[in-house]
Amino acid sequence: MLPPLLLVTDRHGTDRPLAETVRAAVAGGARFVWLRDRDLDAELRRALARDLIAILAPVGGRLIVGGDPDLASEVGAQGVHLPGSAGIDGVRALREKLGAAALIGFSAHSVAEIAAAEAAGADYATLSPIFPSASKPGYGPALGLEALRAAGSVSRLPVFALGGIDAGNARACREAGAAGVAVMGGVMRSLDPRSETARFVAAIA
C-alpha cells in the first residue's frame, strides 16, 4: 500500500535548499516523494535524487523520479512518474522496460485516463486539478471531488488528488475515494514544512 501523502518537489517554491525542505517534510511524516524539477541540470538532478534517497532511506520512504527511468535506475529510486504527455502507450512501454517490480505513476487529467492507465500497467495515478491551483493553470477547470468519486467507480487504481490541495480539503478528497493527496505548493512554500506536512498527515490519516 502506498503512503497517502505524495510530496511533489518544486525548488522554485521553497526559500531553502530543496533537500532541506524535503528533510523537514520527512521529519513531519512524508514517506513518498516525487522528484519533479524537470528543468534542473542533469548532473544536479542526479545529485539531488541521491540526496533525497539518503533522506528517505532511514524511514523506509520511497522516491519516484519524474519522467526519467534511466535516472531512477541509476540512483536506485523506487520508480518513475510519467507526465500526461507521455500518453498511455508510454505507461505500457515503461512497464515492459522496467518489469513488474518498478513503481509507475501517471499524471491523469480525466477519469477516462485513470481507467486507461490502470489497463496499461500503472501502479497509481494523480488526477488533477481537483481544485483551482496557481501551480497548474494550464490544465483546464477544476475537476472537483466528483471526479474522484467517478474514478473510483471505473477503476481500482490508487488515485492521488492533485491541484489546490491544502490541509483543509485533503480529508474531503480521501472521503471522495482518493487513495491519498499529492501536495506541492502547500509544503514547498511553507515557512515550516515539517509542521505543515504533519498537518497534512493528520488530516488524511
Side-chain angles (χ1 to χ4, degrees), residues 1-6 30-32 62 160 179-181 204:
M1 181 177 295
L2 296 172
L5 176 65
L6 173 56
R31 298 294 182 266
F32 191 21
R62 306 182 192 188
F160 287 77
V181 297
I204 60 179

Side-chain angles (χ1 to χ4, degrees), residues 49-172:
R50 288 188 171 122
D51 287 344
L52 299 188
I53 286 174
I55 291 168
L56 286 160
V59 296
R62 306 182 192 188
L63 180 70
I64 304 301
V65 175
D68 192 338
D70 292 333
L71 176 59
S73 296
E74 180 181 348
V75 302
Q78 280 72 36
V80 178
H81 189 104
L82 288 178
S85 59
I88 299 304
D89 287 341
V91 175
R92 189 174 293 109
L94 188 59
R95 175 59 68 201
E96 292 176 358
K97 177 179 180 178
L98 298 183
L103 194 59
I104 297 176
F106 180 73
S107 291
H109 304 290
S110 71
V111 173
E113 287 184 338
I114 295 292
E118 179 182 32
D123 295 292
Y124 73 92
T126 56
L127 181 60
S128 68
I130 299 302
F131 302 110
S133 170
S135 64
K136 299 187 78 65
Y139 291 99
L143 299 173
L145 295 174
E146 185 55 39
L148 295 173
R149 298 187 185 97
S153 71
V154 301
S155 170
R156 299 183 67 180
L157 193 69
V159 173
F160 287 77
L162 174 63
I165 308 297
D166 58 37
N169 59 34
R171 182 179 293 276

Side-chain angles (χ1 to χ4, degrees), residues 12-83:
H12 300 298
T14 181
D15 62 356
R16 67 194 77 190
L18 182 56
E20 289 186 16
T21 300
V22 173
R23 189 185 303 278
V26 169
R31 298 294 182 266
F32 191 21
V33 177
W34 166 8
L35 174 57
R36 201 165 175 267
D37 291 274
R38 294 171 294 199
D39 61 335
L40 194 60
D41 172 84
E43 288 298 323
L44 293 176
R45 197 170 191 237
R46 183 178 296 107
L48 179 58
R50 288 188 171 122
D51 287 344
L52 299 188
I53 286 174
I55 291 168
L56 286 160
V59 296
R62 306 182 192 188
L63 180 70
I64 304 301
V65 175
D68 192 338
D70 292 333
L71 176 59
S73 296
E74 180 181 348
V75 302
Q78 280 72 36
V80 178
H81 189 104
L82 288 178

